[in-house]
Amino acid sequence: MNTFKSTLLLVLLTVFLILIGDRFGGRSGMVIAFALSVVFNFVTYFFSDKLALRMYNAQPVTREQLPRAYAAVERLTAKQGLPMPRIYVLPTESPNAFATGRNPQHASVAVTHGILQLLDDEELEGVLAHELGHVRNRDILTSSIAATLAGAITMVARMGYWASLFGGGGGGRDRRGGGGLSGLLMIIVAPIAASLIQLWISRTREFEADATGAATTGNPYALARALQKLEDYSKRIPMQASPSNAHLFIVAPLLGSGGIGNLFSTHPPMKERIQRLIGRDYV
């Protein structure tokens, strides 16, 4: 299913770029857009994980530098039959973590400096088991592609908006048909479409990774405690993150304050996640 989702997202990216190319450049725009889609798909498949890690200045660490995390990951990968992923640390005090990579053989797990200071050994192991759950469930490629697709949609929407303002697009069709209005609609609607893509990908995968992590450690209470701490402290020390890849993290850095904002939250409510782990919504 996750392989199907990844393929579908790449197809959507190709179709989206071709349609935008036709809208603003006619036949020649479609050709350029198709060439761009090939490049986007190649980069997305092979380099989306590296782009995410670089965006947050993630630094690789060795076993000697971070023996606590390495020991936990080695135990967990042995239980799940997974290869050892690369481990990174993000230089921020906001507590969070994410996994990325196109398959288990090319996976990376990143934790922030803040999460290492906040959680005890059992809680940290629960978080790492959750992230390795994403690896085992093979949804890390899907989430990485969703991040790239969301970013591409937003970028192209802005390019189309500015092109319409300056008279670009299809031999004058925009000027006769209200190009400025269509560009404005695109810059409003396209980010919403990107959010819906992330929403489709993220909510179920978090529940699945929670369940996989708890089953691997045999200690759902440790993961529940970690989630509750992360929820509390991430609000005290908010993390600066891009909306296009906020869904990669175990706790969404950009949370709605309620109401309509929750419609575009890429993560389920934390109380619901804890409820599913231990049968109540608090530890």
Side-chain angles (χ1 to χ4, degrees):
M1 178 58 68
N2 282 316
T3 300
F4 170 76
K5 286 182 179 180
S6 299
T7 304
L8 180 58
L9 285 172
L10 290 174
V11 171
L12 285 174
L13 175 59
T14 301
V15 172
F16 173 77
L17 290 175
I18 290 175
L19 290 175
I20 293 301
D22 177 57
R23 179 71 179 86
F24 290 101
R27 186 178 298 274
S28 61
M30 291 178 68
V31 173
I32 295 172
F34 178 76
L36 284 175
S37 71
V38 172
V39 174
F40 263 118
N41 288 343
F42 178 84
V43 171
T44 296
Y45 185 79
F46 288 102
F47 299 106
S48 57
D49 57 334
K50 297 178 179 63
L51 293 174
L53 292 165
R54 184 174 299 175
M55 177 175 290
Y56 296 104
N57 196 27
Q59 303 299 316
V61 291
T62 64
R63 181 179 287 100
E64 290 71 25
Q65 292 172 312
L66 204 58
R68 177 181 173 217
Y70 263 88
V73 172
E74 286 172 341
R75 289 193 301 272
L76 295 167
T77 52
K79 287 182 179 180
Q80 296 188 14
L82 294 171
M84 184 72 181
R86 294 178 294 275
I87 299 179
Y88 291 79
V89 172
L90 278 60
T92 174
E93 295 306 312
S94 182
N96 226 316
F98 70 88
T100 186
R102 64 182 183 271
N103 55 43
Q105 289 70 37
H106 298 86
S108 300
V109 174
V111 295
T112 67
H113 183 263
I115 204 173
L116 295 172
Q117 305 303 310
L118 176 65
L119 302 184
D120 64 31
D121 289 347
E122 283 189 342
E123 294 161 352
L124 179 62
E125 185 175 52
V127 167
L128 292 171
H130 168 99
E131 297 305 332
L132 290 172
H134 286 307
V135 177
R136 181 182 176 184
N137 298 339
R138 294 180 178 269
D139 61 25
I140 51 175
L141 174 60
T142 309
S143 61
S144 297
I145 290 174
T148 304
L149 178 56
I153 288 174
T154 304
M155 178 189 71
V156 173
R158 288 172 180 164
M159 291 172 60
Y161 171 67
W162 288 111
S164 69
L165 287 183
F166 289 98
R173 287 180 297 172
D174 284 339
R175 287 186 291 274
R176 292 193 300 269
L181 178 59
S182 66
L184 181 60
L185 288 174
M186 182 176 295
I187 202 172
I188 294 172
V189 172
I192 295 176
S195 296
L196 291 174
I197 289 170
Q198 295 172 307
L199 179 67
W200 173 49
I201 294 300
S202 296
R203 289 204 166 194
T204 56
R205 68 187 282 273
E206 291 304 318
F207 286 132
E208 292 168 359
D210 286 342
T212 301
T216 302
T217 62
N219 188 358
Y221 285 90
L223 178 55
R225 289 199 312 270
L227 291 176
Q228 190 163 295
K229 282 186 178 181
L230 294 175
E231 171 85 344
D232 294 338
Y233 279 83
S234 63
K235 292 177 180 177
R236 299 182 196 177
I237 312 174
M239 183 173 183
Q240 298 297 318
S242 168
S244 65
N245 55 35
H247 68 285
L248 293 175
F249 291 88
I250 188 170
V251 177
L254 305 173
L255 296 174
S257 57
I260 195 170
N262 288 333
L263 294 176
F264 299 103
S265 173
T266 59
H267 287 59
M270 191 60 75
K271 288 185 177 182
E272 188 173 346
R273 293 173 66 180
I274 294 173
Q275 169 75 31
R276 292 198 182 196
L277 282 170
I278 63 174
R280 59 178 186 267
D281 60 11
Y282 65 92
V283 181

